[in-house]
């Protein structure tokens, strides 16, 4: 897998540059839903696939200013 080295927010294409914020909103919606339904989300952290349970998501949210 090739990881892009350029920040997509700097793309001249407004659809591509706007997708960064859409992805952030989608992630937040997934976290909200996981907390509401007491389920986990599956994501990558430092290239590893990890499962984060709702309890951990709640802790992370409380620590975020």
């Amino acid at each position: 897998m090739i990881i892009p080295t350029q920040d997509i927010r700097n793309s001249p294409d407004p659809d591509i540059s706007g997708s960064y914020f859409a992805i952030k909103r989608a992630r937040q919606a997934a976290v909200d839903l996981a907390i509401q339904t007491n389920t986990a989300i599956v994501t990558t952290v430092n290239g590893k696939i990890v499962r984060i349970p709702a309890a951990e998501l709640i802790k992370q949210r409380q620590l975020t200013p």
Side-chain angles (χ1 to χ4, degrees), residues 1-6 47:
M1 175 190 218
I2 298 173
I3 298 174
T5 57
Q6 295 179 344

Side-chain angles (χ1 to χ4, degrees), residues 1-58:
M1 175 190 218
I2 298 173
I3 298 174
T5 57
Q6 295 179 344
D7 190 332
I8 63 172
R9 293 175 287 182
N10 297 327
S11 173
D13 184 330
D15 290 334
I16 293 175
S17 62
S19 69
Y20 174 82
F21 298 103
I23 291 168
K24 286 187 74 158
R25 288 190 304 271
R27 182 201 185 281
Q28 187 59 52
V31 168
D32 292 343
L33 182 60
I35 290 171
Q36 290 171 2
T37 58
N38 196 32
T39 55
I41 60 169
V42 178
T43 188
T44 58
V45 176
N46 298 326
K48 276 185 100 170
I49 298 173
V50 295
R51 182 180 180 274
I52 305 173
E56 180 63 27
L57 295 170
I58 292 168

